Amino acid sequence: SLFGIFGDLGFGSAHNKRVNEDRLDEGICNGTIISVKSSLSIFLVVLVFLVIQVWKYFSSDIFENKTLEFVVYLLLVKIFIDNLISIFKVIFSAKLEIAKNLIPRLFGRFCQMASKVTFIILLSHEMTFNESLYSIILIEILASLLILFLLLYQFKGKPINFPEKSYIVNYSSLAFPLIFIGIIGSLNNNIDKVMIQAFVNSREVGIFTISQKIVLVLLMVSTQVSKLLFPMFSKLYDENNLVSINVIANKSVKYISMTLVPIVVFLFIFADNILILLYGPESSESTLVL
């Protein structure tokens, strides 16, 4: 996750803006984002793998055990597929075709959840811990593949042309200034867990993460609204309609805040009860974090 920015480098945001500008061809824009992000997906996986090998060369205790190392390599496969999924997420979001992106992801995640529950109830007790762990990650990978194939089907009929050098340069001019923001965002989202692991241990990472996951669900509201607004703002900005951008932005902030404040207060008051209900009595250690 810490290296996630290298799978996008700001090109997703650049596509959201450029594809809504009338002077650019939508087919070439789609071809540009697909080729660039596919290349970056390969670069991301190779980069993480090489960093691990170099780190292992200088430090023998990078992983607590071989199981953890193998899990990281398996998750690299999932990260690669998920980065390919994000290509279509960007393409559909840019044209406000949210359902084309959302329905395959909902269906895929439901299948993933059902498969995990079925496996844990029926099969996991017959396996060793490592076999169960690898099986669950394999289910994650297969679910991501299912989502990718469904998105490819939804993409059928969309215009796509071979990317041109001028378009790549055009995208780059907007994407590269966003890289710094992306790096800061990626560090902000992930460095806490890395530091807890480095200075304490994996158990403390777990205590921290289960509360963080609950809070991150709340961020989905503002994140999804932002994904809808950004393409709209790009089009309005191209039309020099700054008044509408200002009005919509202020209303969005107001309504998102009004929606989230009661939920935040509820989570704060009933933190211990919610954690025990979701994760069991041992999770009460995480109450203060939540």
Side-chain angles (χ1 to χ4, degrees), residues 25 38 50 80 83 86 93 114 122 133 141 145 148 179 188 228-229 244 247 272 280:
D25 180 87
S38 297
L50 289 177
F80 175 73
N83 217 53
S86 72
S93 297
L122 299 179
L133 183 61
I141 292 170
L145 278 172
L148 180 60
I179 293 174
N188 182 57
L228 283 169
L229 292 180
S244 294
V247 170
D272 194 43

Side-chain angles (χ1 to χ4, degrees), residues 37 89 113 206 210 224 260 265:
K37 276 188 69 71
K89 185 179 176 182
M113 177 189 67
I210 60 171
Q224 295 307 316
L260 290 183
V265 172

